[in-house]
Structure formats: structure tokens, C-alpha cells
Amino acid sequence: MNTYGRRNVMLWVSTAIGVLCLIIGIMGCFTAGKIFWAIGCLIVVINFVYAMGIGSMYPVVASETSTLRLRAKTQSIGFCLQFLTTWAFGFSVPYMYTTDEGNLGGKVGFIFGFLSVVAWVVIYLEVPEMMGRTIADIDELFKRKTATKDFKKTVL
């Protein structure tokens, strides 16, 4: 995080996960026996890439990406939204895989690939680079209504 920056790493990891999900979706269109092993291996790789990238960075970014005055409210809203989306995915994804319901199998990679593209766009538009900034710097940048892409190069 301190070498490459939070925003850059999150963008690269989101890109990598999107490509891997697209590969899983393409592989899901075929029914050969070895394909299922490859899909399983790619799911493990995706979990590793996520854990080493966005999974370890989102708590840091969530704790930094608000003014000090609004931090508790922002984190409360974020926690509630995370809980609701986790519940929704935990409820619906098994139905997508199951042969009795959605019967998507590996094709569910297309859905998660699309969601990775959405995540990339949200990260690009909404997550500022706050590497090397103090709390006072971050508050000042928010007060100035600095664009998220300009956080890194703005001099205070």
C-alpha cells in the first residue's frame, strides 16, 4: 500500500479479478471434465488475489475516505451496506450455481466479471489516493472539493 498506493493497487487487482472471472465464464461454456478442475483452481487464485489486494485494503480506505467529522457516520453507513450486500450475495449465489435453479455453473464468471468492471469504475471515480496524507490534509482536500483523481498531485 505504501509503495504503489491504495488506489493503483485496487484498480490493478480489480482488473485482474475481472479478467480471471471472464476466463471462468468462458470455461463454463464448455463441459469437459478437466474444465471443472481449472475453474476450481481459478477460483482459488481469485480468492488469493482478492485477499492480497482489495480484501486487505478496503478497511484502510474505508477508515481514511471521509472527513474526521463525518467518519463515524460514514463507516456506519458503509458497514450496513456491506452487511446487506453480503447477505444478498450469500443468499442468491448458491441459486445461480445449482442445477435445479439457475444452472449457470462456471458461467457465473460473466456476472462477477461484470461486477468487477463496475467495481473498477467506482474505484476510479470515487476512491482518492491518500498515500502520505495526514488527517488534516485529507480534511482540507475534502473541504476544497478536490476531485478524487487529483488528490495525489494536489499540493497543500
Side-chain angles (χ1 to χ4, degrees):
M1 283 191 297
N2 292 332
T3 304
Y4 300 109
R6 293 144 178 81
R7 186 172 192 255
N8 287 334
V9 172
M10 290 176 78
L11 287 170
W12 280 105
V13 168
S14 178
T15 302
I17 290 173
V19 168
L20 291 171
C21 286
L22 179 64
I23 292 170
I24 287 175
I26 292 169
M27 292 168 74
C29 294
F30 303 100
T31 57
K34 302 270 185 192
I35 295 287
F36 297 116
W37 284 97
I39 289 172
C41 291
L42 280 177
I43 289 172
V44 171
V45 170
I46 287 173
N47 285 331
F48 178 77
V49 170
Y50 173 80
M52 296 305 289
I54 295 174
S56 61
M57 284 192 197
Y58 82 84
V60 174
V61 171
S63 67
E64 292 177 341
T65 313
S66 63
T67 62
L68 192 57
R69 185 175 59 86
L70 297 175
R71 190 158 291 165
K73 293 177 185 176
T74 304
Q75 288 183 348
S76 298
I77 292 169
F79 174 75
C80 290
L81 289 174
Q82 179 186 3
F83 173 77
L84 290 173
T85 55
T86 301
W87 176 83
F89 275 91
F91 182 80
S92 62
V93 169
Y95 287 108
M96 290 184 215
Y97 281 111
T98 307
T99 55
D100 296 342
E101 302 293 333
N103 197 21
L104 289 177
K107 294 176 197 161
V108 78
F110 291 127
I111 295 170
F112 286 103
F114 171 74
L115 291 175
S116 294
V117 170
V118 171
W120 191 94
V121 170
V122 169
I123 291 167
Y124 183 78
L125 295 175
E126 298 296 329
V127 176
E129 180 57 67
M130 295 168 288
M131 183 175 70
R133 298 282 187 183
T134 64
I135 294 172
D137 291 344
I138 294 169
D139 280 350
E140 181 63 30
L141 289 169
F142 280 123
K143 283 180 188 173
R144 291 183 184 184
K145 298 185 179 178
T146 306
T148 55
K149 63 182 179 180
D150 297 334
F151 260 54
K152 186 176 183 176
K153 59 186 171 189
T154 302
V155 178
L156 295 175

